Amino acid sequence: MSPVARLLLIPAVFIASVLLFTRLYTQWRYRKQVRQYARSPSSEKEQFLYHPPQVPYTLPFLGNALDFLVPTPGLFFRHLFQTHPRDTGAATLNLGTNSTHIIFNPHAVNAMFKDRQLSRKRLDRMLIKKCFDVQSDEVEIYYRDPAIEHALNKEYLLKTERVNELTIHFSRVLAEKLAHDAETLPADQDIGLYAWLRDRMFTASTTALMGKHLIEMYPELCTDFFGFDGEMLSFFFSIPNFLLRNAHKRRARLLTRLEEWNRAMLAQCPDGKAIDPAGNIDWEPLFGSRLNRARQQFYANKNLQLKSRAGFDLGLMFGLSSNAIPGTGWILMHLLNPVGDVTLYPRVLAELKTAQRADRSLDVPALITLPLLSSVYHEVLRLYVDVLVTRDVDRDIVLPLNEAGTKSIKLPRDSMVMAPSYLGQHDAGAWTTEEAPVETFYAERFLAQDAETGGIKFTLNGTSGKFFPFGGGATMCPGRVFAKQEVLSAVAMVLLGFEFEVLGFVDDKGKSTPKFPGLRSSYQGSGVMVASGDLSVKIRRRIN
């Protein structure tokens, strides 16, 4: 062997030795920590306090980070649970900067949700800075008094009267778009169902929330937004800039145009104040909804820069559109699935007609209580929502693993605890039934027989700590009420307004395929996962 080869071999052997030692040591430590769970309380009074096993890794410093960041939904967790026992209730990951404890035991998850002293302040600030490009000092100003933002969300996103106003304006704009399509789309034209729906729903949702002038002055908003939607977590996970050149350009374009829109709103407010959100006007063309006007007042009171306002507006838009619209697409594709349950579509259609008034308008309060439709909605959330409900652990905490509290896990301070919705919602032990395995779409999964009437009813009984598509606790998604009304109204308007000739599935390149669409590549915690294909259909106005 030449001297040069020997010189090259020495660092290679050293690196290999370090990697091998790291793997062997972390594997030994993991097995030792798992064995502690073999002990069980011998009496109701005896209590065991466990420490979550640290998942083995090979790379020092990076730990499990690279495995966790594989952009295939659910892949990391599927690999983990090929060997990791679920009865541990938790596991610890080394994600490079600090320890992150993932919990998947329902008792532990519920206890985390109920602990009001736990917060996600660090995560919220990181998200706004990294993903929406807001400067650190402006982020601190925004979050200086979080009670104000919570009060705005409670008043304008959770109060029934205000949500109904948003739904009315969303439905009005969507009805206009659908009526135009009914008149202009050729009956023999093939369309991608989700691609067609996406643009129309986005226009309706954005107009209801932010007024009509934003889309008029920025016609490419929908295209740019959904491009950003697929790239947002790349910013959060600090993917190198040279891999995100187009993403940076797209985000810069979004923020610039939203800043221009903010400037246009300010020009209409000589005194610096938007139209009173609590007054008689529920919506107007430039400012849009009460919620947006209240947020503009909030920005003004905080004296936030226009660029920062644009970033927070993009964040709001992301929260309300990046989940509801793909969710609606999944529902429609399952209802019209040519290789699925052929009785489902007519059953849902018949149920929808009971929520249609004589003038063909929707009775939304009746719509959102339809049992089969509600079950379908929640089954789509179960299958396709991937959120990481995260809290900062600023003190030592103990979370129970059973109802009696005889088994618990201890999480040390200065770490992070995370409840991935994927783990609870894809747990075969919790969801597999005689009718359908856990990974199969089953429309009736959330239905039960009503003991009083003998009919069927929608129920979430038995799902606590296993099903939390909107998060949980104090930080539960404030847009969940509007999201449900938006999704179900869109489903009803599309199905009651059109008849469909289903042509079959297409992949993400538009080529015909016999397979129901899978999932687009995305990182863990991407919200409602997006389909990697579409359903090709022909549509025409429904006559009856």
Side-chain angles (χ1 to χ4, degrees), residues 396-412:
D396 291 350
I397 63 170
V398 174
L399 300 176
L401 294 177
N402 58 17
E403 190 170 353
T406 55
K407 287 187 174 184
S408 303
I409 52 173
K410 183 177 181 179
L411 308 181

PDB file of all heavy atoms in Angstrom, residues 396-412:
ATOM      1  N   ASP A 396     -39.128  19.875  35.036  1.00  0.00           N
ATOM      2  CA  ASP A 396     -39.318  18.429  35.031  1.00  0.00           C
ATOM      3  C   ASP A 396     -40.812  18.131  35.111  1.00  0.00           C
ATOM      4  O   ASP A 396     -41.530  18.704  35.958  1.00  0.00           O
ATOM      5  CB  ASP A 396     -38.624  17.783  36.231  1.00  0.00           C
ATOM      6  CG  ASP A 396     -37.105  17.854  36.126  1.00  0.00           C
ATOM      7  OD1 ASP A 396     -36.603  18.224  35.038  1.00  0.00           O
ATOM      8  OD2 ASP A 396     -36.431  17.539  37.121  1.00  0.00           O
ATOM      9  N   ILE A 397     -41.292  17.263  34.232  1.00  0.00           N
ATOM     10  CA  ILE A 397     -42.721  16.910  34.259  1.00  0.00           C
ATOM     11  C   ILE A 397     -42.866  15.394  34.258  1.00  0.00           C
ATOM     12  O   ILE A 397     -41.983  14.660  33.797  1.00  0.00           O
ATOM     13  CB  ILE A 397     -43.499  17.515  33.068  1.00  0.00           C
ATOM     14  CG1 ILE A 397     -42.986  16.956  31.725  1.00  0.00           C
ATOM     15  CG2 ILE A 397     -43.454  19.016  33.095  1.00  0.00           C
ATOM     16  CD1 ILE A 397     -43.874  17.345  30.547  1.00  0.00           C
ATOM     17  N   VAL A 398     -44.000  14.943  34.772  1.00  0.00           N
ATOM     18  CA  VAL A 398     -44.345  13.518  34.809  1.00  0.00           C
ATOM     19  C   VAL A 398     -45.678  13.332  34.101  1.00  0.00           C
ATOM     20  O   VAL A 398     -46.646  14.043  34.398  1.00  0.00           O
ATOM     21  CB  VAL A 398     -44.421  13.013  36.261  1.00  0.00           C
ATOM     22  CG1 VAL A 398     -44.920  11.567  36.296  1.00  0.00           C
ATOM     23  CG2 VAL A 398     -43.063  13.122  36.943  1.00  0.00           C
ATOM     24  N   LEU A 399     -45.718  12.399  33.155  1.00  0.00           N
ATOM     25  CA  LEU A 399     -46.937  12.122  32.397  1.00  0.00           C
ATOM     26  C   LEU A 399     -47.352  10.675  32.639  1.00  0.00           C
ATOM     27  O   LEU A 399     -46.506   9.767  32.573  1.00  0.00           O
ATOM     28  CB  LEU A 399     -46.710  12.355  30.901  1.00  0.00           C
ATOM     29  CG  LEU A 399     -46.285  13.762  30.476  1.00  0.00           C
ATOM     30  CD1 LEU A 399     -46.005  13.794  28.978  1.00  0.00           C
ATOM     31  CD2 LEU A 399     -47.344  14.792  30.839  1.00  0.00           C
ATOM     32  N   PRO A 400     -48.645  10.414  32.910  1.00  0.00           N
ATOM     33  CA  PRO A 400     -49.088   9.045  33.216  1.00  0.00           C
ATOM     34  C   PRO A 400     -49.159   8.180  31.965  1.00  0.00           C
ATOM     35  O   PRO A 400     -49.433   8.657  30.870  1.00  0.00           O
ATOM     36  CB  PRO A 400     -50.475   9.263  33.807  1.00  0.00           C
ATOM     37  CG  PRO A 400     -50.974  10.515  33.133  1.00  0.00           C
ATOM     38  CD  PRO A 400     -49.749  11.384  32.973  1.00  0.00           C
ATOM     39  N   LEU A 401     -48.928   6.868  32.164  1.00  0.00           N
ATOM     40  CA  LEU A 401     -49.066   5.893  31.080  1.00  0.00           C
ATOM     41  C   LEU A 401     -50.310   5.032  31.243  1.00  0.00           C
ATOM     42  O   LEU A 401     -50.645   4.263  30.344  1.00  0.00           O
ATOM     43  CB  LEU A 401     -47.830   4.988  31.013  1.00  0.00           C
ATOM     44  CG  LEU A 401     -46.509   5.671  30.620  1.00  0.00           C
ATOM     45  CD1 LEU A 401     -45.372   4.661  30.670  1.00  0.00           C
ATOM     46  CD2 LEU A 401     -46.613   6.292  29.239  1.00  0.00           C
ATOM     47  N   ASN A 402     -50.974   5.132  32.391  1.00  0.00           N
ATOM     48  CA  ASN A 402     -52.225   4.398  32.574  1.00  0.00           C
ATOM     49  C   ASN A 402     -53.183   5.240  33.406  1.00  0.00           C
ATOM     50  O   ASN A 402     -52.802   6.256  33.993  1.00  0.00           O
ATOM     51  CB  ASN A 402     -52.002   3.012  33.186  1.00  0.00           C
ATOM     52  CG  ASN A 402     -51.298   3.082  34.539  1.00  0.00           C
ATOM     53  OD1 ASN A 402     -51.244   4.133  35.187  1.00  0.00           O
ATOM     54  ND2 ASN A 402     -50.747   1.949  34.987  1.00  0.00           N
ATOM     55  N   GLU A 403     -54.420   4.793  33.457  1.00  0.00           N
ATOM     56  CA  GLU A 403     -55.451   5.585  34.134  1.00  0.00           C
ATOM     57  C   GLU A 403     -55.195   5.677  35.627  1.00  0.00           C
ATOM     58  O   GLU A 403     -55.465   6.704  36.261  1.00  0.00           O
ATOM     59  CB  GLU A 403     -56.826   4.972  33.867  1.00  0.00           C
ATOM     60  CG  GLU A 403     -57.975   5.831  34.321  1.00  0.00           C
ATOM     61  CD  GLU A 403     -59.323   5.324  33.842  1.00  0.00           C
ATOM     62  OE1 GLU A 403     -59.351   4.371  33.037  1.00  0.00           O
ATOM     63  OE2 GLU A 403     -60.350   5.869  34.275  1.00  0.00           O
ATOM     64  N   ALA A 404     -54.643   4.609  36.214  1.00  0.00           N
ATOM     65  CA  ALA A 404     -54.395   4.595  37.654  1.00  0.00           C
ATOM     66  C   ALA A 404     -53.199   5.445  38.043  1.00  0.00           C
ATOM     67  O   ALA A 404     -53.038   5.801  39.218  1.00  0.00           O
ATOM     68  CB  ALA A 404     -54.184   3.154  38.122  1.00  0.00           C
ATOM     69  N   GLY A 405     -52.352   5.764  37.085  1.00  0.00           N
ATOM     70  CA  GLY A 405     -51.169   6.565  37.380  1.00  0.00           C
ATOM     71  C   GLY A 405     -50.050   5.776  38.028  1.00  0.00           C
ATOM     72  O   GLY A 405     -49.097   6.356  38.558  1.00  0.00           O
ATOM     73  N   THR A 406     -50.128   4.431  37.969  1.00  0.00           N
ATOM     74  CA  THR A 406     -49.077   3.609  38.569  1.00  0.00           C
ATOM     75  C   THR A 406     -47.854   3.506  37.665  1.00  0.00           C
ATOM     76  O   THR A 406     -46.775   3.114  38.114  1.00  0.00           O
ATOM     77  CB  THR A 406     -49.596   2.198  38.867  1.00  0.00           C
ATOM     78  OG1 THR A 406     -50.140   1.628  37.660  1.00  0.00           O
ATOM     79  CG2 THR A 406     -50.685   2.241  39.933  1.00  0.00           C
ATOM     80  N   LYS A 407     -48.015   3.828  36.401  1.00  0.00           N
ATOM     81  CA  LYS A 407     -46.900   3.889  35.463  1.00  0.00           C
ATOM     82  C   LYS A 407     -46.851   5.282  34.866  1.00  0.00           C
ATOM     83  O   LYS A 407     -47.869   5.789  34.384  1.00  0.00           O
ATOM     84  CB  LYS A 407     -47.050   2.855  34.343  1.00  0.00           C
ATOM     85  CG  LYS A 407     -46.811   1.416  34.756  1.00  0.00           C
ATOM     86  CD  LYS A 407     -46.821   0.512  33.519  1.00  0.00           C
ATOM     87  CE  LYS A 407     -46.439  -0.908  33.871  1.00  0.00           C
ATOM     88  NZ  LYS A 407     -46.348  -1.770  32.661  1.00  0.00           N
ATOM     89  N   SER A 408     -45.680   5.890  34.903  1.00  0.00           N
ATOM     90  CA  SER A 408     -45.527   7.242  34.380  1.00  0.00           C
ATOM     91  C   SER A 408     -44.168   7.378  33.716  1.00  0.00           C
ATOM     92  O   SER A 408     -43.268   6.551  33.924  1.00  0.00           O
ATOM     93  CB  SER A 408     -45.655   8.280  35.507  1.00  0.00           C
ATOM     94  OG  SER A 408     -46.892   8.162  36.181  1.00  0.00           O
ATOM     95  N   ILE A 409     -44.030   8.423  32.918  1.00  0.00           N
ATOM     96  CA  ILE A 409     -42.736   8.757  32.333  1.00  0.00           C
ATOM     97  C   ILE A 409     -42.321  10.129  32.823  1.00  0.00           C
ATOM     98  O   ILE A 409     -43.162  11.016  33.029  1.00  0.00           O
ATOM     99  CB  ILE A 409     -42.773   8.743  30.783  1.00  0.00           C
ATOM    100  CG1 ILE A 409     -43.912   9.615  30.252  1.00  0.00           C
ATOM    101  CG2 ILE A 409     -42.845   7.327  30.250  1.00  0.00           C
ATOM    102  CD1 ILE A 409     -43.903   9.789  28.750  1.00  0.00           C
ATOM    103  N   LYS A 410     -41.018  10.289  33.022  1.00  0.00           N
ATOM    104  CA  LYS A 410     -40.485  11.567  33.471  1.00  0.00           C
ATOM    105  C   LYS A 410     -39.707  12.217  32.339  1.00  0.00           C
ATOM    106  O   LYS A 410     -38.848  11.580  31.715  1.00  0.00           O
ATOM    107  CB  LYS A 410     -39.568  11.380  34.677  1.00  0.00           C
ATOM    108  CG  LYS A 410     -39.035  12.703  35.238  1.00  0.00           C
ATOM    109  CD  LYS A 410     -38.187  12.481  36.474  1.00  0.00           C
ATOM    110  CE  LYS A 410     -37.679  13.806  37.035  1.00  0.00           C
ATOM    111  NZ  LYS A 410     -36.860  13.620  38.254  1.00  0.00           N
ATOM    112  N   LEU A 411     -40.021  13.477  32.062  1.00  0.00           N
ATOM    113  CA  LEU A 411     -39.330  14.239  31.034  1.00  0.00           C
ATOM    114  C   LEU A 411     -38.566  15.373  31.707  1.00  0.00           C
ATOM    115  O   LEU A 411     -39.160  16.165  32.451  1.00  0.00           O
ATOM    116  CB  LEU A 411     -40.328  14.806  30.014  1.00  0.00           C
ATOM    117  CG  LEU A 411     -41.300  13.806  29.385  1.00  0.00           C
ATOM    118  CD1 LEU A 411     -42.195  14.509  28.377  1.00  0.00           C
ATOM    119  CD2 LEU A 411     -40.560  12.656  28.728  1.00  0.00           C
ATOM    120  N   PRO A 412     -37.260  15.492  31.453  1.00  0.00           N
ATOM    121  CA  PRO A 412     -36.457  16.519  32.130  1.00  0.00           C
ATOM    122  C   PRO A 412     -36.661  17.893  31.529  1.00  0.00           C
ATOM    123  O   PRO A 412     -37.055  18.038  30.363  1.00  0.00           O
ATOM    124  CB  PRO A 412     -35.025  16.028  31.915  1.00  0.00           C
ATOM    125  CG  PRO A 412     -35.092  15.285  30.615  1.00  0.00           C
ATOM    126  CD  PRO A 412     -36.449  14.634  30.581  1.00  0.00           C
TER     127      PRO A 412
END
